[in-house]
Coordinates of all heavy atoms in Angstrom, one line a residue:
A252 N -26.4 1.3 7.8 CA -27.0 0.6 9.0 C -28.4 1.2 9.2 O -28.6 2.4 9.0 CB -26.2 0.8 10.2
D253 N -29.3 0.4 9.6 CA -30.7 0.9 9.9 C -30.7 1.9 11.0 O -30.0 1.8 12.0 CB -31.6 -0.3 10.3 CG -31.9 -1.1 9.1 OD1 -31.7 -0.7 7.9 OD2 -32.4 -2.3 9.3
N254 N -31.5 3.0 10.8 CA -31.7 4.0 11.7 C -30.4 4.8 12.1 O -30.3 5.2 13.3 CB -32.4 3.5 13.0 CG -33.8 2.9 12.6 OD1 -34.5 3.6 11.9 ND2 -34.1 1.7 13.1
Q255 N -29.5 4.8 11.3 CA -28.2 5.6 11.5 C -27.9 6.6 10.5 O -26.7 7.0 10.3 CB -27.0 4.5 11.5 CG -27.2 3.4 12.6 CD -27.2 4.0 14.0 OE1 -26.3 4.8 14.4 NE2 -28.1 3.5 14.8
A256 N -28.9 7.2 9.9 CA -28.7 8.1 8.8 C -28.1 9.4 9.3 O -28.3 9.8 10.5 CB -30.1 8.5 8.1
E257 N -27.2 10.0 8.6 CA -26.5 11.2 8.9 C -26.7 12.3 7.8 O -26.9 11.9 6.7 CB -25.0 10.9 9.0 CG -24.6 9.9 10.1 CD -23.1 9.5 10.0 OE1 -22.4 9.7 8.9 OE2 -22.6 8.9 10.9
I258 N -26.7 13.5 8.3 CA -26.8 14.6 7.4 C -25.5 15.5 7.7 O -25.2 15.8 8.8 CB -28.0 15.5 7.7 CG1 -29.3 14.7 7.4 CG2 -28.0 16.7 6.8 CD1 -30.6 15.4 7.9
I259 N -24.9 15.9 6.6 CA -23.7 16.8 6.7 C -24.2 18.2 6.3 O -24.9 18.4 5.4 CB -22.6 16.3 5.7 CG1 -22.2 14.9 6.0 CG2 -21.4 17.3 5.8 CD1 -21.3 14.3 4.9
A260 N -23.7 19.2 7.1 CA -24.0 20.6 6.9 C -22.7 21.3 7.1 O -21.7 20.8 7.5 CB -25.1 21.1 7.8
C261 N -22.7 22.6 6.8 CA -21.5 23.5 7.0 C -21.6 24.4 8.2 O -22.7 24.9 8.5 CB -21.3 24.3 5.7 SG -21.0 23.3 4.2
I262 N -20.4 24.6 8.8 CA -20.3 25.5 9.9 C -20.7 26.9 9.3 O -20.4 27.3 8.3 CB -18.9 25.5 10.4 CG1 -18.6 24.2 11.0 CG2 -18.6 26.6 11.4 CD1 -17.1 23.9 11.3
G263 N -21.5 27.7 10.2 CA -21.9 29.0 9.8 C -23.3 29.0 9.1 O -23.7 30.0 8.6
N264 N -23.9 27.9 9.0 CA -25.2 27.8 8.3 C -26.3 28.4 9.0 O -26.3 28.6 10.2 CB -25.5 26.3 8.0 CG -26.0 25.5 9.2 OD1 -27.1 25.8 9.7 ND2 -25.2 24.6 9.7
F265 N -27.4 28.7 8.3 CA -28.7 29.0 8.9 C -29.8 28.4 8.0 O -29.9 28.8 6.8 CB -29.0 30.5 9.0 CG -30.3 30.8 9.7 CD1 -30.5 30.6 11.0 CD2 -31.4 31.1 8.8 CE1 -31.7 30.8 11.6 CE2 -32.6 31.3 9.4 CZ -32.8 31.2 10.8
H266 N -30.5 27.4 8.5 CA -31.5 26.7 7.7 C -32.9 26.8 8.2 O -33.8 26.1 7.8 CB -31.1 25.2 7.5 CG -29.8 25.0 6.8 ND1 -29.7 25.2 5.4 CD2 -28.6 24.6 7.2 CE1 -28.5 25.0 5.0 NE2 -27.8 24.6 6.0
G267 N -33.0 27.6 9.3 CA -34.4 27.8 9.8 C -34.5 27.5 11.3 O -33.5 27.4 11.9
R268 N -35.7 27.4 11.7 CA -36.0 27.2 13.1 C -36.7 25.9 13.5 O -37.2 25.7 14.6 CB -36.8 28.4 13.7 CG -36.0 29.7 13.6 CD -35.1 29.8 14.8 NE -34.5 31.1 14.8 CZ -33.2 31.3 14.9 NH1 -32.4 30.3 15.1 NH2 -32.8 32.5 14.9
T269 N -36.9 24.9 12.6 CA -37.4 23.6 12.9 C -36.4 22.8 13.7 O -35.2 23.2 13.7 CB -37.8 22.8 11.7 OG1 -36.6 22.5 10.9 CG2 -38.8 23.6 10.8
M270 N -36.8 21.7 14.3 CA -35.9 20.9 15.1 C -34.6 20.5 14.3 O -33.5 20.5 14.8 CB -36.5 19.7 15.8 CG -37.3 20.1 17.1 SD -36.2 20.9 18.3 CE -35.0 19.7 18.7
T271 N -34.9 20.0 13.1 CA -33.8 19.5 12.3 C -32.9 20.7 12.0 O -31.7 20.6 12.0 CB -34.3 18.8 11.1 OG1 -35.0 17.7 11.4 CG2 -33.1 18.3 10.2
A272 N -33.4 21.8 11.5 CA -32.6 23.0 11.2 C -31.8 23.5 12.3 O -30.7 23.8 12.2 CB -33.5 24.0 10.5
V273 N -32.4 23.6 13.5 CA -31.7 24.0 14.7 C -30.6 23.0 15.1 O -29.5 23.4 15.4 CB -32.7 24.3 15.9 CG1 -31.9 24.6 17.1 CG2 -33.7 25.4 15.6
S274 N -30.8 21.7 14.9 CA -29.8 20.7 15.2 C -28.6 20.8 14.2 O -27.5 20.5 14.6 CB -30.4 19.3 15.1 OG -31.4 19.1 16.1
L275 N -28.9 21.3 13.0 CA -27.9 21.6 12.0 C -27.0 22.8 12.4 O -25.9 22.9 11.8 CB -28.4 21.7 10.6 CG -29.0 20.5 10.0 CD1 -29.9 21.0 8.8 CD2 -28.0 19.5 9.5
S276 N -27.4 23.6 13.2 CA -26.7 24.9 13.4 C -25.4 24.7 14.2 O -25.2 23.8 15.0 CB -27.5 25.8 14.3 OG -26.9 27.0 14.6
S277 N -24.4 25.5 13.8 CA -23.1 25.5 14.5 C -23.1 26.5 15.5 O -22.1 26.7 16.3 CB -22.0 25.7 13.5 OG -22.1 27.0 12.8
E278 N -24.1 27.3 15.7 CA -24.2 28.4 16.7 C -25.0 28.0 18.0 O -26.2 27.7 17.9 CB -24.9 29.6 16.1 CG -24.2 30.2 14.9 CD -22.8 30.6 15.1 OE1 -22.5 31.2 16.2 OE2 -21.9 30.4 14.3
E279 N -24.3 27.9 19.1 CA -24.9 27.4 20.4 C -26.0 28.3 20.8 O -27.0 27.8 21.3 CB -23.9 27.3 21.5 CG -22.9 26.2 21.3 CD -23.5 24.8 21.1 OE1 -24.5 24.5 21.9 OE2 -23.1 24.1 20.2
E280 N -26.0 29.6 20.5 CA -27.1 30.5 20.9 C -28.4 30.2 20.2 O -29.5 30.4 20.7 CB -26.7 32.0 20.7 CG -26.6 32.4 19.3 CD -26.2 33.9 19.2 OE1 -25.1 34.2 19.4 OE2 -27.1 34.7 18.8
Y281 N -28.3 29.7 19.0 CA -29.5 29.3 18.2 C -30.1 28.0 18.7 O -31.3 27.8 18.5 CB -29.2 29.2 16.7 CG -28.7 30.4 16.0 CD1 -28.0 30.4 14.8 CD2 -28.9 31.7 16.6 CE1 -27.6 31.5 14.2 CE2 -28.5 32.8 16.0 CZ -27.8 32.7 14.8 OH -27.4 33.9 14.1
K282 N -29.3 27.2 19.4 CA -29.8 25.9 19.9 C -30.5 26.0 21.3 O -31.2 25.2 21.7 CB -28.6 24.9 20.0 CG -28.1 24.5 18.7 CD -26.9 23.6 18.8 CE -26.3 23.1 17.5 NZ -25.2 22.2 17.7
R283 N -30.1 27.1 22.0 CA -30.6 27.3 23.4 C -32.1 27.2 23.4 O -32.8 27.9 22.7 CB -30.1 28.6 23.9 CG -30.3 28.8 25.4 CD -29.7 30.1 25.9 NE -29.2 30.8 24.7 CZ -28.6 31.9 24.6 NH1 -28.4 32.6 25.6 NH2 -28.2 32.5 23.4
G284 N -32.6 26.4 24.3 CA -34.1 26.2 24.5 C -34.7 25.3 23.5 O -36.0 25.1 23.6
F285 N -34.0 24.7 22.6 CA -34.6 23.8 21.6 C -34.3 22.3 21.9 O -34.7 21.5 21.1 CB -34.2 24.2 20.2 CG -34.9 25.4 19.7 CD1 -34.3 26.7 19.8 CD2 -36.1 25.3 19.0 CE1 -34.9 27.8 19.3 CE2 -36.7 26.4 18.5 CZ -36.1 27.6 18.7
G286 N -33.4 22.0 22.8 CA -32.9 20.6 23.0 C -34.0 19.6 23.3 O -35.1 20.0 23.6
P287 N -33.7 18.4 23.3 CA -32.3 17.9 22.9 C -32.2 17.9 21.3 O -33.2 17.8 20.6 CB -32.3 16.4 23.4 CG -33.8 16.0 23.4 CD -34.6 17.2 23.7
M288 N -31.0 18.0 20.9 CA -30.7 18.1 19.4 C -30.8 16.7 18.8 O -30.7 15.7 19.5 CB -29.3 18.7 19.2 CG -29.2 20.1 19.6 SD -30.2 21.3 18.7 CE -31.3 21.8 20.0
L289 N -31.2 16.7 17.5 CA -31.3 15.5 16.8 C -29.9 14.9 16.6 O -28.9 15.6 16.3 CB -32.0 15.6 15.5 CG -33.4 16.3 15.6 CD1 -34.0 16.5 14.2 CD2 -34.3 15.3 16.4
P290 N -29.8 13.5 16.6 CA -28.5 12.9 16.4 C -28.2 12.8 14.8 O -29.2 13.0 14.0 CB -28.7 11.5 17.0 CG -30.2 11.2 16.8 CD -30.8 12.6 17.1
G291 N -27.0 12.5 14.5 CA -26.7 12.2 13.1 C -26.3 13.4 12.3 O -26.4 13.4 11.1
I292 N -26.0 14.5 13.0 CA -25.6 15.8 12.3 C -24.1 15.8 12.3 O -23.5 15.7 13.4 CB -26.2 16.9 13.0 CG1 -27.7 16.8 13.1 CG2 -25.8 18.2 12.3 CD1 -28.5 16.8 11.8
K293 N -23.5 16.1 11.2 CA -22.0 16.3 11.0 C -21.8 17.7 10.5 O -22.5 18.1 9.5 CB -21.3 15.3 10.1 CG -21.2 13.9 10.7 CD -20.4 13.1 9.7 CE -20.2 11.7 10.2 NZ -19.4 10.9 9.2
L294 N -20.9 18.5 11.0 CA -20.6 19.8 10.5 C -19.2 19.9 10.0 O -18.3 19.4 10.6 CB -20.8 20.9 11.6 CG -22.2 21.1 12.1 CD1 -22.2 22.0 13.3 CD2 -23.2 21.6 11.1
I295 N -19.1 20.5 8.8 CA -17.8 20.6 8.1 C -17.5 22.1 7.8 O -18.5 22.8 7.7 CB -17.6 19.7 6.9 CG1 -18.6 20.2 5.8 CG2 -17.8 18.3 7.2 CD1 -18.4 19.6 4.4
P296 N -16.3 22.5 7.6 CA -16.0 23.8 7.2 C -16.6 24.1 5.9 O -16.6 23.3 5.0 CB -14.5 23.9 7.1 CG -14.0 22.8 8.0 CD -15.0 21.7 7.9
Y297 N -17.2 25.3 5.7 CA -17.8 25.7 4.5 C -16.8 25.8 3.4 O -15.8 26.3 3.5 CB -18.5 27.1 4.7 CG -19.2 27.6 3.5 CD1 -20.5 27.1 3.2 CD2 -18.8 28.6 2.7 CE1 -21.3 27.5 2.1 CE2 -19.5 29.1 1.6 CZ -20.7 28.6 1.3 OH -21.5 29.0 0.3
G298 N -17.2 25.1 2.2 CA -16.3 25.2 1.0 C -15.1 24.2 1.1 O -14.2 24.3 0.2
D299 N -15.1 23.3 2.0 CA -14.0 22.4 2.2 C -14.3 21.0 1.6 O -14.9 20.2 2.2 CB -13.6 22.3 3.6 CG -12.3 21.5 3.9 OD1 -11.9 20.6 3.0 OD2 -11.7 21.8 4.9
L300 N -13.9 20.8 0.3 CA -14.2 19.5 -0.4 C -13.6 18.3 0.3 O -14.2 17.3 0.4 CB -13.8 19.6 -1.8 CG -14.2 18.4 -2.7 CD1 -15.8 18.3 -2.8 CD2 -13.6 18.6 -4.1
D301 N -12.3 18.5 0.8 CA -11.7 17.4 1.5 C -12.4 17.0 2.7 O -12.6 15.8 3.0 CB -10.3 17.7 1.8 CG -9.4 17.7 0.5 OD1 -9.7 17.1 -0.5 OD2 -8.3 18.5 0.6
A302 N -13.0 18.0 3.5 CA -13.7 17.7 4.7 C -15.0 17.0 4.3 O -15.5 16.1 5.0 CB -14.0 18.9 5.4
L303 N -15.6 17.4 3.2 CA -16.9 16.7 2.8 C -16.6 15.2 2.5 O -17.3 14.3 2.9 CB -17.5 17.4 1.6 CG -18.7 16.7 0.9 CD1 -19.9 16.6 1.9 CD2 -19.1 17.4 -0.3
K304 N -15.6 15.0 1.7 CA -15.2 13.6 1.3 C -14.9 12.8 2.5 O -15.3 11.6 2.6 CB -14.0 13.6 0.4 CG -14.3 14.2 -1.0 CD -13.1 14.2 -1.9 CE -13.4 14.7 -3.3 NZ -12.2 14.8 -4.2
E305 N -14.2 13.4 3.5 CA -13.9 12.7 4.7 C -15.1 12.4 5.6 O -15.2 11.4 6.3 CB -12.9 13.5 5.5 CG -12.3 12.7 6.7 CD -11.2 13.5 7.4 OE1 -10.2 14.0 6.7 OE2 -11.3 13.7 8.6
A306 N -16.1 13.3 5.6 CA -17.3 13.2 6.4 C -18.3 12.1 5.9 O -19.0 11.6 6.7 CB -18.0 14.5 6.6
I307 N -18.3 11.8 4.6 CA -19.2 10.9 4.0 C -18.9 9.5 4.5 O -17.7 9.0 4.4 CB -19.2 11.0 2.5 CG1 -19.7 12.4 2.0 CG2 -20.0 9.8 1.9 CD1 -19.7 12.6 0.6
T308 N -19.9 8.8 4.9 CA -19.8 7.4 5.3 C -21.0 6.6 4.7 O -21.8 7.2 4.0 CB -19.9 7.2 6.8 OG1 -21.3 7.5 7.3 CG2 -18.9 8.1 7.6
E309 N -21.1 5.3 4.9 CA -22.2 4.5 4.4 C -23.5 5.0 5.0 O -24.5 4.6 4.4 CB -21.9 3.1 4.7 CG -21.9 2.7 6.1 CD -21.7 1.2 6.4 OE1 -21.1 0.5 5.5 OE2 -22.1 0.7 7.5
N310 N -23.5 5.7 6.0 CA -24.7 6.2 6.7 C -25.1 7.6 6.2 O -26.2 8.1 6.7 CB -24.6 6.2 8.2 CG -24.4 4.8 8.7 OD1 -24.9 3.8 8.2 ND2 -23.6 4.7 9.8
T311 N -24.3 8.2 5.4 CA -24.6 9.6 5.0 C -25.8 9.6 4.0 O -25.8 9.0 3.0 CB -23.4 10.3 4.3 OG1 -22.3 10.2 5.2 CG2 -23.7 11.7 4.0
A312 N -26.9 10.3 4.4 CA -28.1 10.4 3.6 C -28.1 11.7 2.7 O -28.5 11.7 1.6 CB -29.3 10.4 4.4
A313 N -27.5 12.8 3.3 CA -27.6 14.1 2.6 C -26.5 15.1 3.0 O -26.0 15.0 4.1 CB -29.0 14.7 2.8
F314 N -26.2 16.0 2.1 CA -25.4 17.1 2.3 C -26.2 18.3 2.0 O -26.7 18.5 0.9 CB -24.2 17.1 1.4 CG -23.3 18.3 1.5 CD1 -22.8 18.7 2.7 CD2 -22.9 19.0 0.3 CE1 -22.0 19.9 2.7 CE2 -22.1 20.1 0.3 CZ -21.6 20.6 1.6
L315 N -26.4 19.1 3.1 CA -27.2 20.3 3.0 C -26.3 21.5 3.0 O -25.5 21.7 4.0 CB -28.2 20.3 4.2 CG -29.1 21.6 4.3 CD1 -30.0 21.7 3.1 CD2 -30.0 21.4 5.6
I316 N -26.4 22.4 2.0 CA -25.5 23.6 1.9 C -26.3 24.8 1.3 O -27.2 24.6 0.5 CB -24.3 23.3 1.0 CG1 -23.3 24.4 1.0 CG2 -24.7 22.9 -0.4 CD1 -22.0 24.1 0.4
E317 N -25.9 25.9 1.9 CA -26.3 27.2 1.2 C -25.3 27.5 0.2 O -24.1 27.7 0.5 CB -26.4 28.3 2.3 CG -27.4 28.1 3.4 CD -27.1 28.9 4.6 OE1 -26.1 28.6 5.3 OE2 -27.8 29.9 4.8
P318 N -25.7 27.7 -1.1 CA -24.7 28.1 -2.1 C -24.0 29.4 -1.8 O -22.8 29.5 -2.1 CB -25.6 28.3 -3.4 CG -26.7 27.3 -3.1 CD -27.0 27.4 -1.7
I319 N -24.6 30.3 -1.1 CA -24.0 31.5 -0.6 C -24.5 31.7 0.8 O -25.7 31.8 1.0 CB -24.3 32.8 -1.4 CG1 -23.8 32.6 -2.8 CG2 -23.7 34.0 -0.7 CD1 -24.2 33.7 -3.8
Q320 N -23.6 31.6 1.8 CA -24.0 31.8 3.2 C -24.3 33.3 3.4 O -23.6 34.2 3.0 CB -23.0 31.3 4.2 CG -22.9 29.8 4.3 CD -22.0 29.4 5.4 OE1 -21.1 30.1 5.8 NE2 -22.2 28.2 5.9
G321 N -25.4 33.6 4.2 CA -25.7 35.0 4.5 C -26.0 35.3 5.9 O -26.4 36.4 6.2
E322 N -25.7 34.4 6.8 CA -25.9 34.6 8.2 C -25.0 35.6 8.9 O -25.4 36.4 9.7 CB -25.9 33.3 9.0 CG -26.3 33.4 10.4 CD -27.7 33.8 10.7 OE1 -28.5 34.0 9.8 OE2 -28.0 34.2 11.9
A323 N -23.7 35.6 8.5 CA -22.7 36.5 9.1 C -22.0 37.2 8.0 O -20.8 37.2 7.9 CB -21.7 35.6 9.9
G324 N -22.8 37.9 7.1 CA -22.2 38.5 6.0 C -22.4 37.6 4.8 O -23.1 36.6 4.8
I325 N -21.8 38.0 3.7 CA -21.9 37.2 2.5 C -20.7 36.3 2.3 O -19.6 36.9 2.2 CB -22.2 38.1 1.2 CG1 -23.5 38.8 1.4 CG2 -22.2 37.2 0.0 CD1 -23.8 39.9 0.4
V326 N -20.9 35.0 2.3 CA -19.8 34.1 2.3 C -20.0 33.2 1.0 O -21.0 32.5 0.9 CB -19.6 33.2 3.5 CG1 -18.4 32.3 3.4 CG2 -19.6 34.1 4.7
I327 N -19.0 33.3 0.1 CA -19.1 32.6 -1.2 C -18.1 31.4 -1.1 O -16.9 31.6 -0.8 CB -18.8 33.5 -2.4 CG1 -19.9 34.6 -2.3 CG2 -18.8 32.8 -3.7 CD1 -19.6 35.7 -3.3
P328 N -18.5 30.2 -1.6 CA -17.5 29.1 -1.6 C -16.4 29.3 -2.7 O -16.6 30.1 -3.6 CB -18.4 27.9 -1.9 CG -19.5 28.4 -2.7 CD -19.8 29.8 -2.2
P329 N -15.4 28.5 -2.6 CA -14.3 28.6 -3.6 C -14.9 28.2 -4.9 O -15.9 27.4 -5.0 CB -13.3 27.5 -3.1 CG -13.6 27.3 -1.6 CD -15.0 27.6 -1.5
E330 N -14.3 28.8 -6.0 CA -14.8 28.5 -7.3 C -14.8 27.1 -7.6 O -13.8 26.4 -7.3 CB -14.0 29.3 -8.3 CG -14.5 29.2 -9.8 CD -13.7 30.1 -10.7 OE1 -13.2 31.1 -10.3 OE2 -13.8 29.8 -11.9
G331 N -15.9 26.5 -8.1 CA -15.9 25.1 -8.5 C -16.4 24.2 -7.4 O -16.6 23.0 -7.6
F332 N -16.4 24.7 -6.1 CA -16.7 23.8 -5.0 C -18.2 23.2 -5.2 O -18.3 22.0 -4.9 CB -16.7 24.6 -3.7 CG -17.2 23.8 -2.5 CD1 -16.5 22.8 -2.0 CD2 -18.5 24.0 -2.0 CE1 -17.0 22.0 -0.9 CE2 -19.0 23.3 -1.0 CZ -18.3 22.3 -0.5
L333 N -19.1 24.0 -5.5 CA -20.5 23.4 -5.5 C -20.6 22.3 -6.5 O -21.2 21.2 -6.3 CB -21.5 24.5 -5.8 CG -21.7 25.6 -4.7 CD1 -22.6 26.7 -5.2 CD2 -22.2 25.0 -3.5
K334 N -20.0 22.5 -7.7 CA -20.1 21.4 -8.7 C -19.3 20.2 -8.3 O -19.8 19.1 -8.4 CB -19.4 21.9 -10.0 CG -19.5 20.9 -11.1 CD -18.9 21.4 -12.4 CE -19.2 20.3 -13.5 NZ -18.3 20.3 -14.5
K335 N -18.1 20.3 -7.6 CA -17.4 19.2 -7.2 C -18.1 18.5 -6.0 O -18.0 17.3 -5.9 CB -16.0 19.6 -6.7 CG -15.1 20.1 -7.9 CD -13.8 20.6 -7.5 CE -13.0 21.1 -8.7 NZ -11.8 21.9 -8.3
A336 N -18.7 19.3 -5.1 CA -19.4 18.8 -4.0 C -20.6 18.0 -4.5 O -20.9 16.8 -4.0 CB -19.9 19.9 -3.0
Y337 N -21.4 18.5 -5.5 CA -22.5 17.8 -6.1 C -22.0 16.4 -6.7 O -22.6 15.4 -6.5 CB -23.1 18.6 -7.2 CG -24.1 17.8 -8.0 CD1 -25.4 17.6 -7.5 CD2 -23.8 17.3 -9.2 CE1 -26.4 16.8 -8.2 CE2 -24.7 16.5 -10.0 CZ -26.0 16.3 -9.5 OH -26.9 15.6 -10.2
E338 N -20.8 16.5 -7.5 CA -20.3 15.2 -8.1 C -19.9 14.2 -7.0 O -20.2 13.0 -7.2 CB -19.1 15.6 -9.0 CG -19.6 16.4 -10.2 CD -18.4 17.0 -11.0 OE1 -17.3 17.0 -10.5 OE2 -18.7 17.5 -12.1
T339 N -19.3 14.7 -5.9 CA -18.9 13.8 -4.8 C -20.1 13.2 -4.2 O -20.1 12.0 -3.9 CB -18.1 14.6 -3.7 OG1 -16.9 15.1 -4.3 CG2 -17.8 13.8 -2.5
C340 N -21.2 13.9 -4.0 CA -22.4 13.4 -3.5 C -23.0 12.3 -4.4 O -23.4 11.3 -4.0 CB -23.4 14.5 -3.2 SG -23.0 15.5 -1.8
K341 N -23.0 12.7 -5.7 CA -23.6 11.7 -6.7 C -22.8 10.4 -6.7 O -23.4 9.3 -6.7 CB -23.6 12.4 -8.1 CG -24.3 11.6 -9.1 CD -24.4 12.4 -10.4 CE -25.2 11.5 -11.4 NZ -25.4 12.2 -12.7
E342 N -21.5 10.5 -6.6 CA -20.7 9.3 -6.6 C -20.9 8.4 -5.4 O -20.7 7.3 -5.5 CB -19.2 9.7 -6.7 CG -18.7 10.3 -8.0 CD -17.4 11.0 -7.9 OE1 -16.7 10.9 -6.8 OE2 -17.0 11.7 -8.9
N343 N -21.3 9.1 -4.3 CA -21.5 8.4 -3.1 C -23.0 8.1 -2.7 O -23.3 7.7 -1.5 CB -20.8 9.1 -1.9 CG -19.3 9.0 -2.0 OD1 -18.7 8.0 -1.6 ND2 -18.7 10.0 -2.6
N344 N -23.9 8.4 -3.7 CA -25.3 8.1 -3.4 C -25.8 9.0 -2.2 O -26.6 8.5 -1.4 CB -25.7 6.7 -3.2 CG -27.1 6.4 -3.4 OD1 -27.8 7.0 -4.2 ND2 -27.6 5.4 -2.7
V345 N -25.3 10.2 -2.1 CA -25.7 11.1 -1.1 C -26.6 12.2 -1.7 O -26.2 12.9 -2.8 CB -24.5 11.8 -0.4 CG1 -24.9 12.9 0.5 CG2 -23.7 10.7 0.3
L346 N -27.7 12.6 -1.2 CA -28.6 13.6 -1.7 C -27.9 15.0 -1.5 O -27.5 15.3 -0.4 CB -29.9 13.6 -1.0 CG -30.9 14.7 -1.4 CD1 -31.3 14.5 -2.8 CD2 -32.2 14.6 -0.5
F347 N -27.7 15.8 -2.5 CA -27.2 17.1 -2.5 C -28.4 18.1 -2.4 O -29.2 18.1 -3.2 CB -26.3 17.4 -3.7 CG -25.7 18.8 -3.8 CD1 -24.5 19.0 -3.3 CD2 -26.4 19.8 -4.3 CE1 -23.9 20.2 -3.4 CE2 -25.9 21.1 -4.4 CZ -24.6 21.3 -3.9
I348 N -28.4 18.9 -1.2 CA -29.5 19.8 -1.0 C -29.0 21.2 -1.0 O -28.1 21.5 -0.1 CB -30.3 19.5 0.3 CG1 -30.8 18.0 0.3 CG2 -31.4 20.5 0.5 CD1 -31.3 17.6 1.7
A349 N -29.4 22.0 -1.9 CA -29.0 23.4 -2.0 C -30.1 24.3 -1.4 O -31.1 24.4 -2.0 CB -28.7 23.9 -3.4
D350 N -29.9 24.9 -0.2 CA -30.8 25.7 0.5 C -30.5 27.2 0.1 O -29.5 27.7 0.7 CB -30.7 25.5 2.0 CG -31.7 26.3 2.8 OD1 -32.4 27.2 2.2 OD2 -31.7 26.2 4.0
E351 N -31.2 27.7 -0.8 CA -30.8 29.0 -1.3 C -31.8 30.1 -0.9 O -31.7 31.2 -1.5 CB -30.6 29.0 -2.8 CG -31.9 28.6 -3.6 CD -31.7 28.5 -5.1 OE1 -30.8 29.3 -5.6 OE2 -32.4 27.7 -5.7
I352 N -32.6 29.9 0.0 CA -33.6 30.9 0.4 C -33.0 31.8 1.5 O -32.6 31.3 2.6 CB -34.9 30.3 0.9 CG1 -35.5 29.5 -0.3 CG2 -35.9 31.3 1.4 CD1 -36.7 28.6 0.1
Q353 N -33.0 33.0 1.3 CA -32.5 34.0 2.4 C -33.6 35.0 2.6 O -34.3 35.5 1.9 CB -31.3 34.8 1.8 CG -30.0 33.9 1.8 CD -29.6 33.5 3.2 OE1 -29.7 34.2 4.2 NE2 -29.1 32.3 3.4

């Protein structure tokens, strides 16, 4: 649908301090003072392929993920998750974005 694009990200992420990045955050303290948050953001558990598949709709534009999360320690996804997530995105015409800058 027009003007209904969604972005999927993972709980525990840190993608920066721009409005979109702050809207993607699962941490309320990072959002304080930045509102209103942007619409169209869905958060799923990190490394959960079933949750990703369930979250994708006809409005999903992108899946943004850190290959290794570093905000609260080092969190590594289950083996094979990134490849399967990429394949799922490709099958559903969803842009797979790997944010690997720490």
Side-chain angles (χ1 to χ4, degrees):
D253 287 345
N254 299 314
Q255 300 297 315
E257 299 170 343
I258 299 172
I259 300 169
C261 295
I262 295 168
N264 75 67
F265 180 78
H266 296 292
R268 295 279 186 229
T269 65
M270 277 307 299
T271 301
V273 172
S274 293
L275 290 163
S276 180
S277 60
E278 301 298 321
E279 290 304 316
E280 71 180 73
Y281 296 161
K282 295 179 180 184
R283 191 176 4 182
F285 283 93
M288 296 296 111
L289 301 176
I292 305 297
K293 288 185 178 179
L294 295 175
I295 63 168
Y297 184 74
D299 187 333
L300 188 63
D301 290 335
L303 174 61
K304 289 178 180 180
E305 188 175 307
I307 292 174
T308 71
E309 65 180 22
N310 296 327
T311 305
F314 173 51
L315 177 60
I316 185 170
E317 296 161 286
I319 298 174
Q320 286 189 334
E322 183 64 10
I325 297 173
V326 182
I327 299 171
E330 186 171 337
F332 171 76
L333 293 173
K334 182 177 186 209
K335 291 174 186 171
Y337 171 80
E338 291 167 353
T339 297
C340 288
K341 188 173 181 178
E342 290 167 6
N343 289 280
N344 199 31
V345 171
L346 180 64
F347 179 92
I348 304 170
D350 179 359
E351 60 182 332
I352 299 172
Q353 285 295 323

